Amino acid sequence: MTRIAVDAMSGDHGAPVAVEAVMASLRAHPDLEIIVVGDADALNKEIARHRKADVGDRLTVQHAAEVVGMCESPARSLRQKKDSSMRVSINLVQQGSASACVSAGNTGALMATARFVLKTLAGIDRPAIVSPIPSRRGHTLMLDLGANAECTPEQLFQFAVMGAVLAEAVHSVDSPRVGLLNIGAEEMKGNVQIQQAGKLIGDSELNYIGFVEGDDIYIGDVDVVVCDGFVGNVALKTSEGLGKLIAQFLREEFSRNALTRTAALFAMPVLRAFRRRVDPRQYNGATFIGLQGTVIKSHGDADAVAFASAIDVARMEVEQQVPERIRTLLAHSLGE
Amino acid sequence: MTRIAVDAMSGDHGAPVAVEAVMASLRAHPDLEIIVVGDADALNKEIARHRKADVGDRLTVQHAAEVVGMCESPARSLRQKKDSSMRVSINLVQQGSASACVSAGNTGALMATARFVLKTLAGIDRPAIVSPIPSRRGHTLMLDLGANAECTPEQLFQFAVMGAVLAEAVHSVDSPRVGLLNIGAEEMKGNVQIQQAGKLIGDSELNYIGFVEGDDIYIGDVDVVVCDGFVGNVALKTSEGLGKLIAQFLREEFSRNALTRTAALFAMPVLRAFRRRVDPRQYNGATFIGLQGTVIKSHGDADAVAFASAIDVARMEVEQQVPERIRTLLAHSLGE
């Protein structure tokens, strides 16, 4: 049995979406138990809208009176909202009542609370945010995506270890290729930190393939791309922006006049297949990695399909014992 | 008359592409003169393949015996290739024989040579690489795209001034909105440099709109996005990679079977219009800004259409007196 706590109140859509995702996950995985956390009345009402028979007693409700706002400051929510659905979900992991938690709440508050309550693994200075990015040959894991604006070479090395564990454990990549994000043509004399990180990773037992550039993320010749959270966040947001721009340009071109709208009818099935392939919902669920416990961040405006993907990420990481494996590989890589 | 030096030997395709672009530019702009630089025999042979009559004596050839390789180290090319087409082109600008030069040669060598020969403008610590990026409402200028991996707040401020001048002078944007690239959700206490840069830009006469995120580049609510060269280069390369991935996915979906290939026939005119709209060739020509003279970098594998775009960028910057305007605005912004 894998038991996961789901913060059902945070995020843009709250309980209805979270509960629908929870029901779907429980039906798909008979070995899964879920504790939904939030306002008990609201949650029970929402659960009553679904057929509960086929999930049996694998679904329980844990009351939490407060909700962390999507724009609330991490420090404030940490200090003042000790009975929030977010905090209670993480507490359940800390107490051992759940092995992982999933929340669509605000990233800063979730990270601050997770760090405060769960603490980092031994040998890990700071947790990182990691997520799969679609590539030509499947996907690439990238970290850090925004938790740490500035990183030491040691932290970048720890990210490399954590990314490699995730690629191997959850994405079934044998001896994952680890690359360090850098810029190409220039002399780079300034950036000592990346040179040193390269040396640390190169000297370890990881399958280090050296520096990679921004376009390599999407080519698929590297399994884990390591960078600081500033660069990673900019790369991620830039990609989101470009993706939306291209989608809009395609829509505009296909709706320009009667002729192009006819073409759209013919092209529709193909465009739908294309869309499924790049559907960000299947990539929903970023891991806060490096904590004593598994915390998965769902996108704030995730629908039920996307939210269920995030629950699935949590389930797989628990089953594959990701935190334990990080501890082992880290000790091994440092020659302990 | 605007006179431009064109390094016709560097880049992946050398003289044939450069000369074709030069002929097209001269025909399109009767006020333009071009000095093509490189192996005189090879260039004259190439020029002979075109009708020279309609460009008259506005085309001259300047011999240069060497070529800087695409992977040659900047330091080596600077020291050892004093008669390269790249170096001679830049020398022509320094001597006043040309007002700008265009090269498709390797970025590092071009930047190192341009800095060494031309020097930066008074008040500018380091030149930056700037280029327009397509957005929903036209395009966004972004700098630095890779010349300076690490930047001081003062340098970021100088980039803001230079970007604003370019937006106003060449892209006809009144009072361009300047944003500083940052990451959103997090506390950012680490990154003092960006906070300080924000203060410098905010205190100046520039139209500073504050921090922007990666996706804002493509939305079009900001005219100039300022960042250090590491982040800028990663954002640019990441976008290139994603663009190629999406193009490949579309191709694959449309060629999957007989049905989708039929759909492709109907969709073709629309897809072509879409392609024209995102065609990177129309955005070819990155400016090395902040130098005492205008240097434009064309993409290494630019075809003649793209190369001509780069020549056009040079022509406009000369006509709009970009370096002089930077000097003026910089003095003004510093309250001198």
Side-chain angles (χ1 to χ4, degrees), chain A residues 136 146 150 183 186 190 194 213 215 230 233 237-239 242 244-245 248-249 252-253 263 266 273 277, chain B residues 136 146 150 183 186 190 194 213 215 230 233 237-239 242 245 248-249 252-253 263 266 273 277-278:
Chain A
R136 286 190 202 185
E150 285 176 289
I183 63 177
E186 304 315 309
I194 285 192
E213 292 191 67
D215 47 350
F230 193 101
N233 190 271
K237 289 269 173 70
T238 302
S239 297
L242 179 58
K244 282 182 190 159
L245 180 77
Q248 182 190 319
F249 278 6
E252 282 175 11
E253 292 303 334
F266 282 91
R277 205 159 154 189
Chain B
R136 284 190 204 186
E150 285 176 288
I183 64 177
E186 304 315 310
I194 286 192
E213 291 192 68
D215 47 349
F230 194 100
N233 190 269
K237 289 269 172 69
T238 302
S239 296
L242 179 58
L245 180 76
Q248 181 189 319
F249 278 6
E252 282 174 10
E253 291 304 334
F266 282 91
R277 204 159 155 190
V278 292

Side-chain angles (χ1 to χ4, degrees), chain B residues 52 56-57 104 106 136 152 158 175 213 250 267 290 299-300 306 315:
Chain B
K52 218 196 143 196
D57 54 1
N106 100 50
R136 284 190 204 186
T152 63
Q158 292 160 15
S175 182
E213 291 192 68
L250 273 176
H299 207 287
R315 184 186 59 77

